[in-house]
Amino acid sequence: MRTGLFYGWELAQGERAVDVYDEVLEQVELADDIGFDSALFGENHFAKSSACASLVCTLGALAGSTKAIRVGTGCKALPLDNPARIAEDYAVLDLQLNGRLIFGVSPGEQEGQFQTFGVPFAERWERFVETLDFVTKAWTNDAFCYGGRYFRFPKDIATDLAHPFRSEPYAKPFLLPWERGGKEVKYLSIVPKPVQIPHPLVWVGTNAPEAVQFAASKGYAILPGPQLSRSAVVQQYKDFTTALNEAGRELSEVERPLIRDVYVANDREQAIREVRKQLENLYDIYFRDGRLSGGNGNEVAPSDCGFEALVKEHAIIGDPDQVFDRIKLYQQEAGINHIICRMKFPGLDHSKVLRSMRLFASEIITRLRS
Amino acid sequence: MEFWYGLYGMQSPRVYPRSWARMYQEVVDHAARAEDLGYDSFWLTEHHFWYDGYCPSILPVLAAIARRTSRIGIGTGCLLLALHDPLRDAEDAAFLDVLSNGRLILGLAPGYRPEEFAGLGPDHKTKASRLYESIEVLKKALTQERFSHDGKFFHYDDVGLVPKPLQKPHPPIWIGSGWSPVQARNIGRRGLAYWAGPALDLESVHKLTVEYAQAARTAGVPESEIKLAVFRDVCIAETREEALRIREQDLLPMYEEQYVSYGYILDESGGRRRDLIREHPLFKQIVRSFIVGTPDQIIRDIERYQAIGIEFFMPRIMLISQNRDRILRQMELFAREVIPHFKH
């Protein structure tokens, strides 16, 4: 079992964006030293309730200050950017990280951001699929053109929905790459290429209903989030396994990550006392935004289910033994092999996060690995 | 005088192929070294779709440098703003300014290679007006609590950037420009700082800077806003013979490669005869622009730039064909022997 960290950049009332960046980077740098395997970051824009860190610059900064930990997006909302720039940005990041990039992707879920960037929200799933197709093709091919429904590359190419991607055909005389500058272009190559072959790991954020089938058909991992209840997680991995099998694949071929809210202290009462308020606030935000799913897919208010239910269905809080047991339970029930912990809750003290991380590393990581 | 260090393009050209991944590790070490040696800032440069991997995304690389250094400025030289969504650049730039504790310098340019416009979408013909509208959006986003914008290219309604940059009102903005006097005048008229064109001899630079400063003064721009920077290819060594050898072995092959490959310098039949390039008038101009020699000779050359009002000087010691040990040696020699002469 691998272990990771997740940051959604949520802010508590009175918490300032500029104060949390250094804390978060320090936490991930510590995680790199004490044995965590990964750290993922969410994407946010223009929200007072979020620190809205630039994804590319956060990952870039960590490329310079970490050595072994994988870092990545959790998730990048693909429809919000120019697909060519996404391919370029994350290829550069994979090079900076020497192949340690995890490319978590999603269709995006916040309508206001789509309005600001001028992208129709209703088209987000189709745009997501097309952009991911473009980006993975760009990473794995030399000169090509792409005539998609939403994106054409180069821009004058005609849309061809049956075959949007076309590799440059052989031509005589063959022009070497350095003989091609300043000409009319029908085909372009996106460079530099990433380190990972065939391309960086792709994980699909699973808020959209189509996502499980889609990920299975491509052989990408899914990434269930903290807002999914335990029973919903089990169901999602069951559906995913079925879909993989139908596509001729096995669950063991892909990474099986899961994001949970995790806090470890020496005893359970202390753990609950230290994070109860922050966690309830966080889940109230999810509930207000309609992003909280219970076992049957219905939304359950945190105030209806109480803190005990929150801990039972979503968060993993307790002493080292209890946290270990709960993660093992997810492993048995859902088949996960990578637990990604959100340890920095909005408003939670930096020193408490570090203490929880250290305890997790010394008491739990080794046991999970064996 | 300020000394900028750059410009890193992160290229692996056929005349000096190397590992991209290794280069991206090394550039951070070079920046840390430049900081130790006393350079004022460290710069990367952007292009797209070129076979050698010319860096298309410089902000995450500057972020790595920001995290590993504490004093040196970090610069974009230039961010090709007319090819981007200015609101995205504003978000990344503001975050990077916070991350670096207020060390970001924004060099901005429209971009010029037609392939880049074809690939990324904007119209080549409107690049200048798009650049200036993008700068307007960028400044609004970086400085106003919430802003709206209704322009020719961009429309935003009540957007509030999070976070805002640390430097107030915003990080310094420079406009990088080519060889056109019209552009020089435009930049002056708008009261923006001017980073004059590459590969020009002193006399040609002077013509442009005069155009720029006159336009600025005519428009009533305060003297403190009229700022001039240049970068020049520098080959520095203890002896002039060694400096000339560096020019011959490291610098010239790269220019021969790049200017022919890009299609700037073609032979009479439109072909790419690299053996003819040294006789080409443009290439001769480029060679005249180099600053080559011992520290004393280089100090005298830079003093001439200082005399025409250049306060920001970037020795481009690294061009991509050069081997690493030579870069670091020249970088140290320049810092030890040349910079102190201009710092009082």
Side-chain angles (χ1 to χ4, degrees):
Chain A
M1 178 90 84
R2 278 179 275 274
T3 53
L5 294 174
F6 171 73
Y7 292 91
W9 298 112
E10 304 85 357
L11 292 179
Q13 216 134 54
E15 200 175 23
R16 294 186 336 143
V18 295
D19 296 330
V20 305
Y21 302 137
D22 264 346
E23 294 180 1
V24 167
L25 293 177
E26 268 176 43
Q27 287 163 21
V28 178
E29 286 152 9
L30 173 71
D32 184 40
D33 285 340
I34 63 180
F36 283 83
D37 300 295
S38 65
L40 299 182
F41 301 88
E43 176 177 7
N44 278 292
H45 304 273
F46 322 119
K48 277 269 170 240
S49 58
S50 163
C52 293
S54 152
L55 269 180
V56 289
C57 290
T58 303
L59 300 178
L62 288 166
S65 62
T66 60
K67 294 197 163 50
I69 193 168
R70 280 180 172 267
V71 300
T73 54
C75 290
K76 166 85 201 138
L78 294 183
L80 296 180
D81 271 317
N82 183 323
R85 299 225 58 211
I86 296 176
E88 294 177 333
D89 285 347
Y90 289 90
V92 165
L93 279 164
D94 197 44
L95 286 162
Q96 285 187 261
L97 286 158
N98 223 337
R100 290 187 279 134
L101 178 72
I102 295 169
F103 189 54
V105 293
S106 84
E109 52 179 27
Q110 307 211 20
E111 194 166 356
Q113 296 173 3
F114 281 74
Q115 278 167 5
T116 302
F117 287 116
V119 180
F121 188 61
E123 296 170 1
R124 66 190 182 284
W125 179 257
E126 286 73 23
R127 283 176 180 268
F128 163 79
V129 172
E130 182 174 299
T131 304
L132 189 55
D133 185 49
F134 175 87
V135 168
T136 50
K137 296 277 196 329
W139 281 340
T140 50
N141 287 275
D142 287 331
F144 71 100
C145 65
Y146 196 93
R149 186 191 297 272
Y150 305 103
F151 184 62
R152 286 168 291 283
F153 180 85
K155 65 183 169 192
D156 294 327
I157 217 80
T159 292
D160 180 351
L161 292 184
H163 306 285
F165 170 83
R166 280 198 306 282
S167 201
E168 182 177 37
Y170 292 124
K172 276 187 180 172
F174 179 73
L175 275 186
L176 292 160
W178 45 85
E179 306 286 343
R180 295 175 178 210
K183 290 206 167 65
E184 190 191 340
V185 280
K186 292 196 178 106
Y187 304 93
L188 283 169
S189 181
I190 288 200
V191 279
K193 299 296 187 209
V195 169
Q196 292 177 73
I197 295 172
H199 58 67
L201 289 176
V202 174
W203 294 1
V204 180
T206 31
N207 289 330
E210 307 93 326
V212 169
Q213 285 293 336
F214 172 78
S217 73
K218 299 279 183 188
Y220 300 145
I222 57 170
L223 181 60
Q227 77 286 357
L228 275 191
S229 69
R230 188 175 119 215
S231 37
V233 168
V234 172
Q235 187 61 45
Q236 196 162 84
Y237 265 108
K238 212 179 204 173
D239 296 344
F240 185 52
T241 308
T242 310
L244 277 172
N245 294 343
E246 280 166 6
R249 302 176 202 276
E250 299 288 334
L251 189 62
S252 59
E253 294 170 27
V254 296
E255 193 77 0
R256 284 100 62 197
L258 169 68
I259 304 175
R260 294 285 94 173
D261 288 297
V262 175
Y263 190 74
V264 203
N266 285 320
D267 68 73
R268 183 177 164 79
E269 284 62 44
Q270 184 198 354
I272 291 176
R273 197 171 58 243
E274 288 178 344
V275 298
R276 178 176 189 138
K277 195 174 91 235
Q278 286 87 350
L279 261 185
E280 279 177 343
N281 288 344
L282 185 56
Y283 278 82
D284 279 342
I285 295 171
Y286 278 141
F287 181 69
R288 272 206 312 279
D289 294 352
R291 286 192 284 157
L292 197 64
S293 355
N296 51 10
N298 293 330
E299 288 161 359
V300 185
S303 47
D304 286 352
C305 55
F307 189 74
E308 285 308 312
L310 193 66
V311 170
K312 185 164 161 283
E313 287 293 319
H314 296 276
I316 303 179
I317 311 291
D319 65 33
D321 284 341
Q322 289 165 330
V323 169
F324 173 79
D325 289 343
R326 181 49 63 105
I327 293 170
K328 290 301 277 187
L329 191 64
Y330 275 108
Q331 186 180 29
Q332 285 151 19
E333 290 185 347
I336 64 156
N337 71 344
H338 196 148
I339 182 78
I340 298 175
C341 312
R342 175 163 53 187
M343 292 191 151
K344 197 237 170 290
F345 311 137
L348 183 62
D349 217 43
H350 181 48
S351 60
K352 291 207 176 77
V353 179
L354 294 178
R355 201 189 60 204
S356 168
M357 282 174 61
R358 287 204 173 91
L359 204 52
F360 189 90
S362 61
E363 300 292 322
I364 300 172
I365 286 184
T366 324
R367 285 165 74 192
L368 283 174
R369 279 207 186 124
S370 58
Chain B
M1 203 174 213
E2 266 197 31
F3 287 92
W4 298 353
Y5 191 79
L7 288 164
Y8 282 73
M10 315 304 292
Q11 295 152 272
S12 174
R14 74 180 182 113
V15 290
Y16 191 64
R18 53 188 171 176
S19 148
W20 284 321
R22 182 155 170 207
M23 224 183 319
Y24 278 95
Q25 323 304 313
E26 284 180 357
V27 69
V28 184
D29 300 333
H30 284 209
R33 187 82 189 107
E35 174 167 282
D36 289 344
L37 289 170
Y39 288 93
D40 293 290
S41 50
F42 191 92
W43 297 68
L44 264 80
T45 169
E46 163 187 344
H47 272 301
H48 300 264
F49 316 131
W50 189 238
Y51 83 93
D52 66 8
Y54 206 125
C55 184
S57 181
I58 56 184
L59 295 178
V61 188
L62 293 177
I65 291 168
R67 193 67 186 160
R68 281 265 301 273
T69 55
S70 56
R71 180 198 58 81
I72 196 166
I74 50 174
T76 64
C78 286
L79 203 64
L80 302 181
L81 190 61
L83 292 166
H84 302 174
D85 178 338
L87 189 57
R88 292 309 313 271
D89 280 2
E91 291 183 288
D92 291 343
F95 176 77
L96 189 50
D97 195 48
V98 174
L99 188 80
S100 63
N101 208 10
R103 291 187 278 143
L104 180 64
I105 308 166
L106 285 170
L108 308 172
Y112 52 88
R113 297 184 54 235
E115 299 93 319
E116 303 180 332
F117 288 87
L120 292 173
D123 186 352
H124 195 282
K125 289 195 283 291
T126 59
K127 64 182 179 181
S129 47
R130 196 176 151 104
L131 171 69
Y132 289 115
E133 191 180 324
S134 296
I135 293 173
E136 204 184 320
V137 170
L138 190 70
K139 282 186 172 178
K140 282 183 182 176
L142 294 177
T143 56
Q144 298 178 10
E145 189 48 37
R146 303 192 72 82
F147 81 98
S148 295
H149 178 89
D150 191 18
K152 192 170 150 205
F153 302 98
F154 305 105
H155 306 272
Y156 301 107
D157 186 26
D158 194 30
V159 180
L161 198 72
V162 181
K164 294 288 194 291
L166 203 71
Q167 296 178 79
K168 301 296 173 200
H170 56 71
I173 290 177
W174 289 82
I175 310 301
S177 171
W179 298 335
S180 142
V182 180
Q183 280 177 38
R185 285 195 292 272
N186 273 335
I187 296 165
R189 203 161 40 81
R190 290 163 195 272
L192 296 159
Y194 177 45
W195 192 357
L200 289 173
D201 58 22
L202 180 70
E203 205 176 296
S204 317
V205 172
H206 193 201
K207 278 185 193 145
L208 289 172
T209 57
V210 166
E211 295 275 358
Y212 161 77
Q214 271 177 0
R217 288 188 183 112
T218 309
V221 174
E223 288 298 314
S224 61
E225 305 282 304
I226 301 176
K227 290 185 187 168
L228 287 165
V230 292
F231 76 88
R232 281 296 162 271
D233 292 294
V234 167
C235 302
I236 183 170
E238 302 283 2
T239 64
R240 179 155 183 86
E241 291 65 42
E242 170 65 8
L244 285 168
R245 200 161 65 89
I246 294 171
R247 186 186 78 166
E248 200 61 30
Q249 292 182 358
D250 289 349
L251 193 54
L252 287 175
M254 195 54 220
Y255 267 103
E256 287 166 6
E257 167 61 26
Q258 197 141 316
Y259 276 63
V260 174
S261 299
Y262 279 7
Y264 294 159
I265 299 181
L266 301 174
D267 61 42
E268 280 149 13
S269 62
R272 292 163 197 248
R273 291 273 307 278
R274 286 183 169 78
D275 54 326
L276 299 178
I277 184 174
R278 294 200 178 195
E279 296 311 312
H280 196 283
L282 176 58
F283 198 77
K284 287 181 171 168
Q285 174 206 307
I286 291 168
V287 174
R288 274 201 308 277
S289 78
F290 297 161
I291 297 182
V292 181
T294 61
D296 282 346
Q297 290 165 332
I298 283 173
I299 287 171
R300 283 200 297 280
D301 275 343
I302 295 175
E303 280 173 340
R304 291 191 190 102
Y305 281 93
Q306 198 177 26
I308 63 164
I310 305 287
E311 293 168 285
F312 301 83
F313 186 86
M314 176 188 286
R316 187 162 70 170
I317 286 167
M318 52 77 54
L319 194 60
I320 45 191
S321 61
Q322 294 185 328
N323 76 55
R324 190 166 59 117
D325 292 345
R326 266 190 195 157
I327 293 177
L328 293 173
R329 259 207 315 277
Q330 293 186 80
M331 191 175 167
E332 282 179 30
L333 192 55
F334 189 92
R336 202 175 66 226
E337 303 289 339
V338 178
I339 293 180
H341 181 83
F342 294 92
K343 300 273 188 193
H344 302 296

